[in-house]
Coordinates of all heavy atoms in Angstrom, one line a residue:
G1 N 81.4 89.1 98.8 CA 81.7 88.5 97.5 C 80.5 88.4 96.6 O 79.4 88.6 97.0
F2 N 80.7 88.0 95.4 CA 79.6 87.9 94.4 C 80.0 86.8 93.4 O 81.2 86.2 93.5 CB 79.3 89.1 93.7 CG 80.4 89.8 93.0 CD1 80.6 89.6 91.6 CD2 81.4 90.6 93.7 CE1 81.7 90.2 91.0 CE2 82.4 91.2 93.1 CZ 82.6 90.9 91.7
E3 N 79.1 86.5 92.5 CA 79.5 85.5 91.5 C 79.4 86.0 90.1 O 78.6 86.9 89.8 CB 78.6 84.2 91.7 CG 78.9 83.5 93.0 CD 77.9 82.3 93.2 OE1 76.8 82.4 92.9 OE2 78.4 81.3 93.7
I4 N 80.2 85.4 89.2 CA 80.2 85.7 87.8 C 79.8 84.5 87.0 O 80.3 83.4 87.3 CB 81.7 86.1 87.3 CG1 82.2 87.4 88.0 CG2 81.7 86.2 85.8 CD1 81.6 88.6 87.6
Q5 N 78.8 84.7 86.2 CA 78.4 83.6 85.2 C 79.0 84.0 83.8 O 78.8 85.1 83.4 CB 76.9 83.4 85.2 CG 76.5 82.2 84.3 CD 75.1 81.9 84.5 OE1 74.3 82.7 84.7 NE2 74.8 80.6 84.3
I6 N 79.6 83.0 83.2 CA 80.1 83.2 81.8 C 78.9 82.8 80.9 O 78.4 81.7 80.9 CB 81.3 82.2 81.6 CG1 82.4 82.5 82.6 CG2 81.8 82.4 80.2 CD1 82.9 83.9 82.7
A7 N 78.5 83.8 80.1 CA 77.3 83.5 79.2 C 77.5 82.4 78.2 O 76.6 81.6 78.0 CB 77.0 84.8 78.5
S8 N 78.7 82.2 77.7 CA 78.9 81.2 76.7 C 78.8 79.8 77.3 O 78.5 78.8 76.5 CB 80.1 81.4 75.9 OG 81.2 81.3 76.8
T9 N 79.2 79.6 78.5 CA 79.3 78.2 79.1 C 78.2 78.0 80.2 O 77.9 76.9 80.5 CB 80.6 78.0 79.7 OG1 80.8 78.9 80.8 CG2 81.8 78.2 78.6
G10 N 77.7 79.1 80.7 CA 76.8 78.9 81.9 C 77.5 78.7 83.2 O 76.8 78.6 84.2
K11 N 78.8 78.6 83.2 CA 79.5 78.3 84.4 C 79.6 79.5 85.3 O 79.7 80.6 84.8 CB 80.9 77.8 84.1 CG 80.9 76.4 83.4 CD 82.2 75.8 83.5 CE 82.1 74.4 82.9 NZ 83.4 73.7 82.6
I12 N 79.6 79.2 86.6 CA 79.5 80.3 87.6 C 80.8 80.2 88.5 O 81.2 79.1 88.9 CB 78.3 80.1 88.5 CG1 77.0 80.4 87.6 CG2 78.3 81.1 89.7 CD1 75.7 80.2 88.3
Y13 N 81.4 81.3 88.7 CA 82.6 81.4 89.5 C 82.5 82.5 90.6 O 82.0 83.6 90.3 CB 83.8 81.8 88.6 CG 84.0 80.8 87.4 CD1 83.5 81.1 86.2 CD2 84.6 79.6 87.6 CE1 83.7 80.3 85.1 CE2 84.8 78.7 86.5 CZ 84.3 79.1 85.3 OH 84.5 78.2 84.3
A14 N 83.0 82.1 91.8 CA 82.9 83.1 92.9 C 84.1 84.1 92.8 O 85.1 83.8 92.3 CB 83.0 82.3 94.2
V15 N 83.7 85.4 93.2 CA 84.8 86.4 93.3 C 84.8 86.8 94.8 O 83.9 87.3 95.3 CB 84.4 87.6 92.5 CG1 85.5 88.7 92.5 CG2 84.2 87.2 91.0
A16 N 86.0 86.4 95.4 CA 86.1 86.8 96.8 C 86.4 88.2 97.0 O 86.7 89.0 96.1 CB 87.3 86.0 97.4
A17 N 86.2 88.7 98.3 CA 86.4 90.1 98.6 C 87.8 90.6 98.2 O 87.9 91.8 97.9 CB 86.0 90.4 100.0
N18 N 88.7 89.7 98.4 CA 90.1 90.2 98.1 C 90.7 89.9 96.7 O 91.8 90.0 96.5 CB 91.1 89.5 99.2 CG 91.1 88.0 98.9 OD1 90.2 87.4 98.2 ND2 92.0 87.3 99.6
E19 N 89.8 89.7 95.7 CA 90.2 89.5 94.4 C 89.3 90.3 93.5 O 88.2 90.6 93.8 CB 90.3 88.0 94.0 CG 89.0 87.3 94.1 CD 89.2 85.8 93.9 OE1 90.2 85.3 93.7 OE2 88.1 85.1 94.0
T20 N 89.8 90.5 92.2 CA 89.1 91.2 91.2 C 88.4 90.2 90.3 O 88.7 89.0 90.3 CB 90.0 92.1 90.4 OG1 90.9 91.2 89.6 CG2 90.8 93.1 91.3
I21 N 87.5 90.7 89.5 CA 86.8 89.8 88.5 C 87.9 89.2 87.6 O 88.0 88.0 87.3 CB 85.9 90.6 87.6 CG1 84.7 91.1 88.4 CG2 85.3 89.7 86.4 CD1 83.8 92.0 87.7
V22 N 88.9 90.0 87.2 CA 90.0 89.5 86.3 C 90.8 88.4 87.0 O 91.1 87.3 86.4 CB 90.9 90.7 85.9 CG1 92.2 90.2 85.3 CG2 90.3 91.6 84.9
T23 N 91.1 88.6 88.2 CA 92.0 87.5 88.9 C 91.1 86.3 89.2 O 91.6 85.2 89.1 CB 92.6 88.1 90.2 OG1 91.7 88.7 91.0 CG2 93.6 89.2 89.9
A24 N 89.9 86.5 89.6 CA 89.0 85.3 89.9 C 88.8 84.5 88.7 O 89.0 83.2 88.7 CB 87.7 85.8 90.4
L25 N 88.6 85.1 87.5 CA 88.3 84.3 86.3 C 89.7 83.7 85.8 O 89.7 82.6 85.3 CB 87.6 85.1 85.2 CG 86.3 85.6 85.5 CD1 85.7 86.4 84.4 CD2 85.3 84.4 85.9
G26 N 90.7 84.5 86.0 CA 92.1 84.0 85.6 C 92.5 82.7 86.2 O 93.1 81.9 85.6
K27 N 92.1 82.5 87.5 CA 92.4 81.2 88.1 C 91.8 80.0 87.5 O 92.2 78.9 87.6 CB 91.8 81.3 89.6 CG 92.6 82.3 90.4 CD 92.3 82.0 92.0 CE 90.8 82.1 92.3 NZ 90.6 82.2 93.7
H28 N 90.7 80.3 86.6 CA 90.0 79.2 86.0 C 90.3 79.2 84.5 O 89.6 78.6 83.7 CB 88.5 79.3 86.2 CG 88.1 79.2 87.6 ND1 88.1 78.0 88.3 CD2 87.8 80.2 88.6 CE1 87.7 78.3 89.6 NE2 87.6 79.6 89.8
G29 N 91.4 79.9 84.1 CA 91.8 80.0 82.7 C 91.0 80.8 81.8 O 91.1 80.7 80.6
I30 N 90.2 81.7 82.4 CA 89.4 82.7 81.5 C 90.2 84.0 81.5 O 90.2 84.7 82.6 CB 88.0 82.8 82.1 CG1 87.3 81.4 82.0 CG2 87.3 83.8 81.2 CD1 86.1 81.3 82.9
A31 N 90.7 84.3 80.5 CA 91.6 85.5 80.4 C 90.8 86.7 79.9 O 90.2 86.7 78.8 CB 92.8 85.2 79.6
I32 N 90.9 87.8 80.6 CA 90.4 89.1 80.2 C 91.7 90.0 80.0 O 92.5 90.1 80.9 CB 89.5 89.8 81.2 CG1 88.2 88.9 81.3 CG2 89.1 91.2 80.8 CD1 87.2 89.4 82.4
A33 N 91.8 90.6 78.8 CA 93.0 91.4 78.5 C 93.0 92.6 79.4 O 92.0 93.3 79.7 CB 93.0 91.8 77.1
T34 N 94.2 92.9 80.0 CA 94.3 94.1 80.9 C 95.5 94.9 80.5 O 96.4 94.4 79.8 CB 94.5 93.7 82.4 OG1 95.6 92.9 82.5 CG2 93.2 93.0 82.9
S35 N 95.6 96.1 80.9 CA 96.8 96.9 80.8 C 97.1 97.7 82.1 O 98.0 97.3 82.8 CB 96.6 97.9 79.6 OG 97.7 98.7 79.4
C36 N 96.3 98.7 82.4 CA 96.6 99.5 83.6 C 96.2 98.8 84.9 O 96.9 99.1 85.9 CB 95.9 100.9 83.5 SG 94.1 100.8 83.8
E37 N 95.2 98.0 84.8 CA 94.7 97.3 86.0 C 94.3 98.3 87.1 O 94.3 98.0 88.3 CB 95.6 96.3 86.6 CG 95.8 95.2 85.5 CD 96.5 93.9 86.0 OE1 96.6 93.8 87.2 OE2 97.0 93.1 85.2
Q38 N 94.0 99.6 86.8 CA 93.6 100.6 87.7 C 92.3 101.3 87.3 O 92.0 102.3 87.9 CB 94.7 101.6 87.9 CG 96.0 101.1 88.5 CD 97.0 102.1 88.6 OE1 96.8 103.2 89.1 NE2 98.2 101.8 88.1
G39 N 91.6 100.8 86.4 CA 90.3 101.4 86.0 C 90.4 102.6 85.2 O 89.5 103.4 85.2
I40 N 91.5 102.8 84.5 CA 91.7 104.0 83.7 C 91.7 103.8 82.2 O 91.1 104.6 81.5 CB 93.1 104.6 84.2 CG1 93.0 105.0 85.7 CG2 93.4 105.9 83.3 CD1 94.4 105.4 86.2
C41 N 92.3 102.7 81.7 CA 92.6 102.6 80.3 C 91.4 102.0 79.4 O 91.2 102.3 78.3 CB 93.8 101.8 80.0 SG 93.6 100.0 80.3
G42 N 90.6 101.2 80.1 CA 89.5 100.6 79.4 C 89.8 99.3 78.6 O 88.9 98.7 78.0
T43 N 91.0 98.8 78.7 CA 91.4 97.5 78.1 C 90.5 96.4 78.5 O 90.1 95.5 77.6 CB 92.8 97.2 78.3 OG1 93.6 98.3 77.9 CG2 93.3 96.0 77.6
C44 N 90.1 96.3 79.7 CA 89.4 95.2 80.3 C 87.9 95.3 80.2 O 87.1 94.5 80.8 CB 89.8 95.0 81.7 SG 89.3 96.4 82.7
L45 N 87.4 96.3 79.4 CA 86.0 96.5 79.3 C 85.2 95.3 78.8 O 85.6 94.7 77.8 CB 85.7 97.7 78.3 CG 84.3 98.1 78.2 CD1 83.8 98.8 79.5 CD2 84.2 99.1 77.1
T46 N 84.2 94.8 79.6 CA 83.5 93.6 79.3 C 82.1 93.9 79.2 O 81.5 94.6 80.0 CB 83.9 92.5 80.3 OG1 85.3 92.4 80.4 CG2 83.2 91.2 80.0
T47 N 81.3 93.2 78.3 CA 79.9 93.4 78.2 C 79.1 92.7 79.3 O 79.4 91.5 79.5 CB 79.4 93.0 76.8 OG1 80.1 93.7 75.9 CG2 77.9 93.2 76.7
V48 N 78.2 93.3 79.9 CA 77.3 92.7 81.0 C 76.0 92.3 80.4 O 75.3 93.1 79.7 CB 77.1 93.7 82.1 CG1 76.1 93.2 83.1 CG2 78.4 94.0 82.8
V49 N 75.7 91.0 80.5 CA 74.5 90.5 80.0 C 73.3 90.6 81.0 O 72.2 90.9 80.6 CB 74.6 89.0 79.6 CG1 73.3 88.4 79.1 CG2 75.7 88.8 78.6
D50 N 73.6 90.4 82.3 CA 72.7 90.5 83.3 C 73.3 90.8 84.7 O 74.5 90.6 84.8 CB 71.9 89.2 83.4 CG 70.5 89.3 84.1 OD1 70.1 90.5 84.4 OD2 69.9 88.3 84.4
G51 N 72.6 91.4 85.6 CA 73.1 91.8 86.9 C 73.5 93.3 86.9 O 73.3 94.0 85.8
I52 N 73.9 93.8 88.1 CA 74.2 95.2 88.2 C 75.6 95.4 88.7 O 76.0 95.0 89.8 CB 73.2 95.8 89.2 CG1 71.7 95.6 88.8 CG2 73.5 97.3 89.4 CD1 70.7 96.1 89.7
P53 N 76.4 96.0 87.9 CA 77.8 96.2 88.2 C 77.9 97.3 89.3 O 77.1 98.2 89.5 CB 78.5 96.8 86.9 CG 77.6 96.5 85.8 CD 76.2 96.4 86.5
D54 N 79.0 97.2 90.1 CA 79.3 98.2 91.1 C 80.6 98.9 90.5 O 81.7 98.4 90.7 CB 79.6 97.5 92.4 CG 80.0 98.5 93.5 OD1 79.9 99.7 93.3 OD2 80.3 98.1 94.6
H55 N 80.3 100.0 89.8 CA 81.4 100.6 89.1 C 82.4 101.3 90.0 O 82.1 102.1 90.7 CB 80.8 101.6 88.1 CG 79.9 101.0 87.1 ND1 80.4 100.2 86.1 CD2 78.6 101.2 86.9 CE1 79.4 99.8 85.3 NE2 78.3 100.4 85.8
R56 N 83.7 100.9 89.9 CA 84.7 101.5 90.6 C 85.8 102.1 89.8 O 86.9 102.4 90.3 CB 85.4 100.4 91.5 CG 84.4 99.6 92.3 CD 84.5 99.9 93.8 NE 83.4 99.2 94.6 CZ 83.7 98.3 95.5 NH1 85.0 98.0 95.8 NH2 82.8 97.7 96.1
D57 N 85.6 102.2 88.4 CA 86.6 102.7 87.5 C 86.5 104.2 87.3 O 85.5 104.8 87.8 CB 86.4 101.9 86.2 CG 85.0 102.3 85.6 OD1 84.1 101.7 86.1 OD2 85.0 103.2 84.7
Q58 N 87.4 104.7 86.5 CA 87.4 106.1 86.1 C 87.3 106.2 84.6 O 87.6 107.2 84.0 CB 88.7 106.9 86.6 CG 88.8 106.8 88.1 CD 90.2 107.2 88.5 OE1 90.6 108.2 88.2 NE2 90.8 106.3 89.3
F59 N 86.9 105.1 84.0 CA 86.8 105.1 82.5 C 85.4 105.3 81.9 O 85.3 106.2 81.0 CB 87.3 103.7 82.0 CG 87.3 103.5 80.6 CD1 88.3 104.1 79.7 CD2 86.3 102.8 79.9 CE1 88.3 103.9 78.4 CE2 86.3 102.7 78.5 CZ 87.3 103.2 77.8
L60 N 84.4 104.7 82.5 CA 83.1 104.8 81.9 C 82.5 106.2 82.2 O 82.8 106.8 83.2 CB 82.1 103.7 82.5 CG 82.4 102.3 82.1 CD1 81.5 101.4 82.8 CD2 82.3 102.1 80.6
T61 N 81.7 106.7 81.3 CA 81.0 107.9 81.5 C 79.8 107.6 82.5 O 79.4 106.5 82.7 CB 80.4 108.5 80.2 OG1 79.4 107.6 79.7 CG2 81.5 108.7 79.2
E62 N 79.3 108.7 83.1 CA 78.1 108.5 83.9 C 77.0 107.8 83.2 O 76.3 107.0 83.8 CB 77.6 109.9 84.4 CG 76.9 109.9 85.7 CD 77.5 109.0 86.8 OE1 78.8 109.2 87.0 OE2 76.9 108.2 87.4
Q63 N 76.7 108.2 82.0 CA 75.7 107.6 81.1 C 75.9 106.0 81.0 O 75.0 105.2 81.1 CB 75.6 108.2 79.8 CG 74.3 108.5 79.3 CD 74.2 109.3 78.0 OE1 75.3 109.6 77.5 NE2 73.0 109.8 77.7
E64 N 77.2 105.7 80.7 CA 77.6 104.3 80.5 C 77.4 103.5 81.8 O 77.0 102.4 81.8 CB 79.0 104.2 80.0 CG 79.1 104.7 78.6 CD 80.6 104.8 78.1 OE1 81.4 105.1 78.9 OE2 80.8 104.6 76.9
R65 N 77.8 104.2 82.9 CA 77.6 103.5 84.2 C 76.1 103.1 84.5 O 75.7 102.0 84.9 CB 77.9 104.4 85.4 CG 79.4 104.6 85.5 CD 79.6 105.6 86.6 NE 80.9 106.3 86.4 CZ 82.0 105.7 86.6 NH1 82.1 104.5 87.1 NH2 83.2 106.3 86.3
C66 N 75.2 104.1 84.1 CA 73.7 103.9 84.4 C 73.2 102.8 83.5 O 72.1 102.3 83.9 CB 73.1 105.2 84.3 SG 73.5 106.4 85.5
A67 N 73.8 102.6 82.4 CA 73.2 101.6 81.5 C 73.4 100.2 81.9 O 72.7 99.3 81.5 CB 73.9 101.8 80.1
N68 N 74.3 100.0 82.9 CA 74.5 98.7 83.5 C 74.9 97.6 82.4 O 74.6 96.4 82.7 CB 73.3 98.2 84.3 CG 73.3 99.0 85.6 OD1 74.3 99.4 86.2 ND2 72.1 99.2 86.1
N69 N 75.4 97.9 81.3 CA 75.7 96.9 80.3 C 77.1 96.7 80.0 O 77.5 96.0 79.0 CB 74.8 97.1 79.1 CG 75.2 98.4 78.4 OD1 76.0 99.2 78.8 ND2 74.3 98.8 77.4
Q70 N 78.0 97.4 80.7 CA 79.4 97.2 80.5 C 80.1 97.3 81.9 O 79.6 98.0 82.8 CB 80.0 98.3 79.7 CG 79.4 98.4 78.3 CD 80.1 99.6 77.5 OE1 81.0 99.4 76.9 NE2 79.5 100.8 77.6
V71 N 81.2 96.6 82.1 CA 81.9 96.7 83.3 C 83.4 96.6 83.1 O 84.0 96.0 82.2 CB 81.6 95.5 84.3 CG1 82.0 94.1 83.8 CG2 82.0 95.7 85.7
I72 N 84.2 97.4 83.9 CA 85.6 97.4 83.9 C 86.1 96.4 84.8 O 86.0 96.5 86.1 CB 86.1 98.8 84.3 CG1 85.8 99.9 83.1 CG2 87.6 98.8 84.6 CD1 86.6 99.7 81.9
A73 N 86.5 95.2 84.2 CA 86.7 94.0 85.1 C 87.9 94.0 85.9 O 87.9 93.2 86.8 CB 86.7 92.8 84.1
C74 N 88.8 94.9 85.8 CA 90.0 94.9 86.6 C 89.8 95.5 88.0 O 90.6 95.3 88.9 CB 91.2 95.7 85.9 SG 90.9 97.4 85.8
C75 N 88.7 96.2 88.2 CA 88.5 96.9 89.4 C 87.1 97.0 89.9 O 86.8 97.1 91.1 CB 89.2 98.2 89.5 SG 88.4 99.4 88.4
S76 N 86.1 96.9 89.0 CA 84.7 97.1 89.4 C 84.2 95.7 89.9 O 84.8 94.7 89.7 CB 83.9 97.6 88.2 OG 84.2 98.9 87.9
R77 N 83.1 95.8 90.6 CA 82.6 94.6 91.3 C 81.1 94.5 91.0 O 80.7 95.0 89.9 CB 82.8 94.7 92.8 CG 84.3 95.0 93.1 CD 84.7 94.9 94.5 NE 84.6 93.5 95.0 CZ 85.5 92.6 94.8 NH1 86.6 92.9 94.1 NH2 85.3 91.4 95.3
A78 N 80.3 93.9 91.7 CA 78.9 93.7 91.5 C 78.0 94.1 92.7 O 78.4 93.8 93.8 CB 78.6 92.3 91.0
K79 N 76.9 94.7 92.4 CA 75.9 95.0 93.4 C 75.0 93.9 93.5 O 74.4 93.6 94.7 CB 75.2 96.3 93.1 CG 76.0 97.6 93.3 CD 75.1 98.8 92.9 CE 75.9 100.1 93.1 NZ 75.3 101.2 92.4
S80 N 74.7 93.2 92.4 CA 73.8 92.0 92.5 C 74.7 90.8 92.9 O 75.9 90.8 92.8 CB 73.2 91.8 91.1 OG 74.2 91.8 90.1
K81 N 74.0 89.8 93.3 CA 74.7 88.6 93.8 C 75.4 87.9 92.6 O 76.5 87.3 92.8 CB 73.7 87.6 94.4 CG 74.2 86.3 94.9 CD 75.0 86.5 96.3 CE 75.8 85.2 96.6 NZ 77.1 85.6 97.1
L82 N 74.8 88.1 91.4 CA 75.3 87.4 90.2 C 75.5 88.4 89.1 O 74.6 89.3 88.9 CB 74.4 86.3 89.7 CG 74.9 85.5 88.5 CD1 76.0 84.6 88.9 CD2 73.7 84.6 88.0
L83 N 76.6 88.4 88.4 CA 76.9 89.2 87.2 C 77.2 88.3 86.0 O 78.0 87.5 86.2 CB 78.1 90.2 87.5 CG 78.2 91.4 86.7 CD1 77.0 92.4 86.9 CD2 79.5 92.2 87.1
V84 N 76.4 88.4 85.0 CA 76.5 87.5 83.8 C 77.3 88.3 82.8 O 76.9 89.4 82.4 CB 75.2 87.1 83.3 CG1 75.5 86.1 82.1 CG2 74.4 86.4 84.4
L85 N 78.5 87.8 82.4 CA 79.3 88.5 81.4 C 79.3 87.8 80.1 O 79.3 86.6 80.0 CB 80.8 88.5 81.9 CG 81.0 89.3 83.3 CD1 82.5 89.3 83.6 CD2 80.5 90.7 83.2
D86 N 79.4 88.6 79.0 CA 79.4 88.1 77.6 C 80.8 87.6 77.3 O 81.5 88.2 76.5 CB 79.0 89.2 76.7 CG 78.8 88.7 75.3 OD1 78.6 87.5 75.1 OD2 78.8 89.6 74.4
L87 N 81.2 86.5 77.9 CA 82.4 85.9 77.6 C 82.3 84.4 77.2 O 81.2 83.9 77.5 CB 83.3 85.9 78.9 CG 83.8 87.3 79.4 CD1 84.5 87.2 80.7 CD2 84.8 87.9 78.4
Ligands
FES1 FE1 92.9 99.4 82.4 FE2 91.0 97.7 83.4 S1 93.0 97.2 82.6 S2 90.8 99.8 82.9

């Protein structure tokens, strides 16, 4: 697992191995809009402020993946222990 920090509040939430960023934050009332929930449509695209995403989507280009500043929150995870999102 890893943790998500919400940039606007500073609050940190754990993401367990069996849940996505979207479901983990949803449990705490933080909603990220989704559509396909399969990493294809890009609806859940979220800006990364700090940390390194573990990209599991099919939406971002190779260049966008390497920039480490956006994450597809319905399926991607984190390589770093903490991922700070611009929420
Ligand atoms: Fe479609 Fe995340 S909801 S890519």
Side-chain angles (χ1 to χ4, degrees):
F2 57 96
E3 292 179 320
I4 295 289
Q5 184 169 31
I6 305 300
S8 62
T9 63
K11 290 195 174 163
I12 294 175
Y13 305 99
V15 182
N18 63 350
E19 59 187 1
T20 67
I21 295 172
V22 168
T23 55
L25 295 182
K27 289 196 302 194
H28 300 282
I30 300 162
I32 296 176
T34 60
S35 180
C36 75
E37 298 193 15
Q38 293 179 52
I40 296 166
C41 73
T43 302
C44 64
L45 186 66
T46 304
T47 299
V48 173
V49 178
D50 201 7
I52 302 173
D54 180 4
H55 298 292
R56 308 252 178 115
D57 63 279
Q58 298 165 58
F59 178 79
L60 293 176
T61 65
E62 203 49 46
Q63 219 170 12
E64 288 169 330
R65 286 174 208 286
C66 293
N68 284 330
N69 59 6
Q70 302 180 89
V71 68
I72 291 292
C74 70
C75 64
S76 291
R77 309 190 66 79
K79 286 180 178 163
S80 51
K81 181 76 191 135
L82 184 69
L83 201 60
V84 184
L85 299 183
D86 187 21
L87 293 170

